[in-house]
Amino acid sequence: MQNRKEALQKLQDKIGYQFQDIALLKQALTHSSFANEQKINKLENYERLEFLGDAVLELVSSEFLFHENKDMPEGQLTKLRASMVCEPSLAYCAKDIGLGKYILLGRGEEATGGRDRDSIISDVMEAVIGAVFLDGGIEYAKKFIFQFILSDLEDKILFMDSKTLLQEEVQKDNTAQLRYELVKETGPDHDKQFQVEAYLDNKVIGTGVGKTKKAAEQQAAYEALIKLKGKKK
């Protein structure tokens, strides 16, 4: 129990927010699979907090984009917000602060790699936002969102849209053929790791590793984009 208390304190130090009601943070980090196993305590899981956090995130990100992009039409703002708060993007932000290691999971979910699953850690990220909002109000929630989701936005959007952006970059030239090739697959079925290479014709321009082929391709495309942008400077 002491170890759990220390872990929660470490996370609070990391995010720069100390909870008045620590039960809210505990709930935000509790997956339904763990709550269902604890039949005596009947712990609450993060799902209700995730619902609230999703709404807070949408409001804060909408306000941010509205002020930052004064000439951008509604359709583009909606598309940009969607890319910022989508599951892979939130999971990417959650991994930046190592949120996965603090989640309480049931044995079955743990055994099948749930701690690294984008769908779970993105939900927990939203639940933490909901918990901060309930505990400290909108200003603290906004501070958390600005620091851990809206910071380095250009780089994050580049990463999330890297396959699309790389395709557009390649099409400018209109001669080379872009393709992705799976070169290695390791680990058991519940915890696979994929290595993918991005090719321009027969030349490797990027390499990526991920828990899914899609994530590995995204990483390879991101590496290729960074290289191409560097050459054009």
Side-chain angles (χ1 to χ4, degrees), residues 46-61 85 90 122-134 138 141 144-145 149:
Y46 63 63
E47 290 168 7
R48 282 171 54 82
L49 285 174
E50 175 209 339
F51 163 79
L52 181 61
D54 175 64
V56 174
L57 175 59
E58 185 164 316
L59 172 63
V60 173
S61 57
V85 300
L90 287 177
S122 63
D123 287 351
V124 171
M125 190 69 166
E126 289 183 326
V128 170
I129 292 168
V132 171
F133 172 73
L134 281 181
I138 189 65
F144 177 90
I145 292 166
I149 296 173

Side-chain angles (χ1 to χ4, degrees), residues 4-120:
R4 184 60 182 167
K5 188 176 179 181
E6 288 172 6
L8 291 172
Q9 186 54 57
K10 195 171 181 180
L11 178 58
Q12 290 177 96
D13 292 341
K14 192 177 285 189
I15 66 175
Y17 180 77
Q18 300 295 319
F19 277 80
Q20 298 173 69
D21 182 2
I22 198 67
L24 284 168
L25 180 58
K26 290 177 180 177
Q27 183 182 344
L29 298 170
T30 302
H31 189 262
S32 57
S33 62
F34 183 86
N36 291 338
E37 283 181 6
Q38 308 302 306
K39 293 176 182 175
I40 298 173
N41 297 328
K42 291 191 176 178
L43 293 170
E44 287 191 86
N45 65 53
Y46 63 63
E47 290 168 7
R48 282 171 54 82
L49 285 174
E50 175 209 339
F51 163 79
L52 181 61
D54 175 64
V56 174
L57 175 59
E58 185 164 316
L59 172 63
V60 173
S61 57
S62 297
E63 183 189 21
F64 172 79
L65 290 173
F66 181 83
H67 291 299
E68 286 292 308
N69 303 277
K70 296 187 185 297
D71 299 319
M72 189 177 283
E74 182 266 344
Q76 277 181 263
L77 286 169
T78 301
K79 187 178 176 184
L80 184 54
R81 183 184 63 198
S83 72
M84 284 164 48
V85 300
C86 68
E87 181 182 294
S89 181
L90 287 177
Y92 179 76
C93 297
K95 286 171 185 174
D96 262 1
I97 58 175
L99 194 59
K101 65 184 176 185
Y102 299 100
I103 302 171
L104 292 174
L105 290 171
R107 288 185 295 272
E109 199 65 58
E110 183 80 70
T112 54
R115 195 170 298 281
D116 296 312
R117 196 171 297 137
D118 282 4
S119 58
I120 290 178

